[in-house]
Structures are given as C-alpha cells and as structure tokens.
Amino acid sequence: MAPTATAHDAYNSKTFDVILGKVPDDFKSLHEIPEEYAWTNLNEHPSLDSDSVPIIDLNDPNASQLISHACRTWGVFQFINHGVPDNVVEDMESVAQSLFSLPAEQKLKVARGPGGISGYGFPLISAFWDKKIWSDSITEEYEKELGRLSSRLTWIMLASLGISKEDVKWSGPKGDNQEAHVLQLNSYPACPHPDRAMGLVPHTDSTLVSIIHQSKICGLQVQEGTGWFRVPPIPGAMVVNVGDLMHILSNGSYVSVLHRVLVNQTQHCLLVIYSYGPPDHVPNSPVPKLLRASHLALYPPVTNWSEYLDTKAKLKGKALASLRLYEPLTN
C-alpha cells in the first residue's frame, strides 16, 4: 500500500499527540466498564429504527438527483451497484476480522507510533474527547478501488450543484490532483454494559466524504432532528457520509451528518471507513460559482485540513458553527 503524504500531513499535528503511541485496553479481559470508558446521557435522545436513510442505486438514471437530495436533507445515504467487487469487500472485512482477533501482544507489535497515523491504536477521532471509547482501530493509507469510488461520488455531488472540476482550484486540470486518503478499520467488541459505553462518539467527519462498510451486526446511527436513526447493514451496500469540508465547499447546501456507533452486549461490530479529503496544503472555501448577492459565503477559507482538525479538537462539535460568518436567511 503506497502512503499518501497529504493524508499523513493532515493528521500529523499536536491534536493527535494524546493518542498517537497509545493503545486500547484488551477488551476481552474487561468484565466491567472502567470509569474512563463510562459515558453519561447516552439515552438523552431516542434511538429510532427506520428505513428512512436513502438507498440509492448508482445505475439509476436519476442517481445524481437522488444523491443531491440525500446530501441536502440527510447528509448520508446508502448506495448499491458501486462497482467495488464483492471479493474486494469480503477480503477487506476478513483481513480486518483476522487482525482484531489476534492476541493483544500481537497487535501491539504494529502499534501506531508517535508521529505516524498508520498502525494499531485508538480511532483518531478519540483525540477530540477526554473519555475513552469502546473500540480499537487500525489505520492505513492507500488508493485503489475506494479511492476511485470516492472521487467519483465527490464529483457527482459537486456536479449536482453546477460545479465543474475547473471551479475547484485544488482539483487539478482534470480533477485528478492527489487528494488525501485514509483507510481506518474500527472494531467494536462486545461490551458488558453497552448502556454505559460508547463505540464512537457523536461527531461529524472532517472530510469531503467518507465511505463506510459495515459488518452484518452494527450500531451505526445518524441524527435527524432530535432522534437517532439506525443505518441498517444492507448486503452489497455502502454508506456515504457528507463531511465538514464538503459542507463548507457547498456553502452549506450539503449537510455534514452527525453520527455515532453504539456497542452491543453480545455481538462484535466492524466498520471499514474510507476518508477522502482534499490535499492538506490547499485552502478550502465555498465555491465562488455558488455565491451571489443574496447568498454570500457562509464560511471563510479554511487554510488547510490540519488547521481545521486542530480547530475541531478544541471546539468538539462546535467547529463548523464557530466558523460560520452569519446565519442564512430562511424562507
């Protein structure tokens, strides 16, 4: 797997010093929830079983319009006929399951070290909170099937807003500039008290888009209004989350979805998360083509991805709101 320098640069900041070089506990040996893993107010908002999260067939002639509508309303959708061969997805999940099934001492041999993002440790998002989360993670950088798919989806989303590759300065003359890619394998072991632990804290992704593969049993949920909606695993489907930088690029047209992962008392859950962002060194701001006298830029330029990650670490879930220049008028 060839490393992508831009992804490394984005995550190589003091923000992540608190977790780089640290490893999770051996969850199999824990029969009670240690205090550092105990979260409160987990049931503050109800969890709802629903099939409302859109499911889109990429072969549908109206796929572009359906994706645009999903991005504007939910900020998340599942999609099928994505072109990634089944054996690639199955092999990826099988490898991940094998890695996380290794004894703790074996996983420690590939522990993520200070100054690097690849290897075994806590999910990178855990750097943003003081409490620990009931999951462990293996992070790697690569660009293959999911890289091509992420690029394809990004340009479908932007084209639906009337944005071409020429309108986005960092995309390169053919929209093929080297973006940042990070693959993260997240494991959520069975938990003795799932009502007190959190697999993944409610958060938005700091990327353009994230593509997620879920194992058959998983607790991925997205927030809509004041409720949490389950995103049920569907054979052959993947999940797409709209990220913060896409929200900024679209000048707020596309929703950066708040999501979380709950843990299960008896079942293990696995997520394969592919994060796709712009090159770290370029500014990100609302595309000028979307701006007009009645619809000014909602956000200032974000100097680079690393800077935004630092802001997000300091402000937790309020990073986007802190950057907003004004509240848009509503009809």
Side-chain angles (χ1 to χ4, degrees):
M1 297 182 185
T4 306
T6 51
H8 180 276
D9 293 342
Y11 286 98
N12 189 20
S13 70
K14 292 182 179 180
T15 297
F16 298 96
D17 286 349
V18 295
I19 61 166
L20 293 177
K22 295 185 178 181
V23 294
D25 291 280
D26 181 6
F27 293 108
K28 293 180 181 179
S29 67
L30 299 178
H31 302 292
E32 295 292 334
I33 299 287
E35 183 59 31
E36 61 266 30
Y37 286 95
W39 291 73
T40 58
N41 302 321
L42 295 187
N43 298 314
E44 186 176 358
H45 299 294
S47 296
L48 306 171
D49 282 328
S50 173
D51 57 0
S52 298
V53 175
I55 303 171
I56 299 172
D57 185 341
L58 286 190
N59 289 338
D60 189 318
N62 297 315
S64 178
Q65 293 93 321
L66 294 171
I67 288 173
S68 179
H69 183 263
C71 291
R72 292 175 185 273
T73 53
W74 281 87
V76 62
F77 58 91
Q78 299 208 61
F79 66 114
I80 57 175
N81 287 322
H82 41 66
V84 178
D86 290 344
N87 67 297
V88 171
V89 177
E90 292 166 1
D91 289 348
M92 185 166 51
E93 182 172 338
S94 177
V95 168
Q97 295 281 13
S98 298
L99 289 171
F100 286 116
S101 297
L102 291 172
E105 59 271 18
Q106 290 292 106
K107 288 185 284 191
L108 290 177
K109 292 180 180 180
V110 291
R112 184 189 302 130
I117 66 169
S118 296
Y120 175 72
F122 286 104
L124 295 172
I125 191 69
S126 63
F128 297 168
W129 283 271
D130 297 326
K131 286 282 187 178
K132 291 183 179 180
I133 53 180
W134 195 269
S135 58
D136 48 356
S137 172
I138 296 172
T139 305
E140 185 55 86
E141 305 168 84
Y142 86 134
E143 46 181 340
K144 287 184 180 177
E145 297 285 350
L146 292 178
R148 289 191 288 269
L149 181 58
S150 299
S151 178
R152 177 187 174 192
L153 285 169
T154 295
W155 291 111
I156 289 175
M157 292 177 186
L158 293 177
S160 299
L161 294 173
I163 300 171
S164 68
K165 293 176 181 178
E166 291 75 21
D167 297 320
V168 181
K169 294 180 179 179
W170 51 257
S171 69
K174 297 182 180 179
D176 56 0
N177 201 357
Q178 186 185 44
E179 293 88 3
H181 311 248
V182 177
L183 177 73
Q184 187 161 303
L185 313 177
N186 282 5
S187 170
Y188 306 92
C191 177
H193 300 287
D195 57 330
R196 299 183 60 218
M198 180 63 72
L200 202 58
V201 186
H203 69 285
T204 58
D205 292 337
S206 307
T207 56
L208 290 169
V209 297
S210 297
I211 295 180
I212 302 170
H213 166 71
Q214 309 182 75
S215 59
K216 294 179 181 178
I217 302 294
C218 233
L220 177 63
Q221 296 184 333
V222 298
Q223 189 176 57
E224 170 68 14
T226 59
W228 287 95
F229 290 82
R230 183 169 174 263
V231 184
I234 297 174
M238 293 186 184
V239 180
V240 174
N241 286 345
V242 174
D244 294 347
L245 295 186
M246 178 64 79
H247 177 82
I248 292 172
L249 203 65
S250 69
N251 202 35
S253 294
Y254 288 166
V255 180
S256 183
V257 64
L258 190 69
H259 56 286
R260 68 182 183 182
V261 177
L262 301 184
V263 290
N264 189 285
Q265 190 166 15
T266 59
Q267 300 290 331
H268 172 263
C269 167
L270 177 75
L271 291 185
V272 179
I273 306 167
Y274 188 85
S275 300
Y276 182 83
D280 176 57
H281 62 279
V282 299
N284 291 272
S285 60
V287 177
K289 181 179 281 189
L290 299 177
L291 308 180
R292 53 188 181 275
S294 59
H295 195 59
L296 302 176
L298 293 176
Y299 299 94
V302 176
T303 304
N304 55 54
W305 198 4
S306 297
E307 180 188 76
Y308 180 69
L309 289 172
D310 288 337
T311 300
K312 194 165 185 177
K314 295 173 184 175
L315 300 178
K316 308 291 190 289
K318 299 179 180 179
L320 271 179
S322 73
L323 293 175
R324 190 182 285 261
L325 299 173
Y326 68 96
E327 292 298 322
L329 297 175
T330 56
N331 294 327

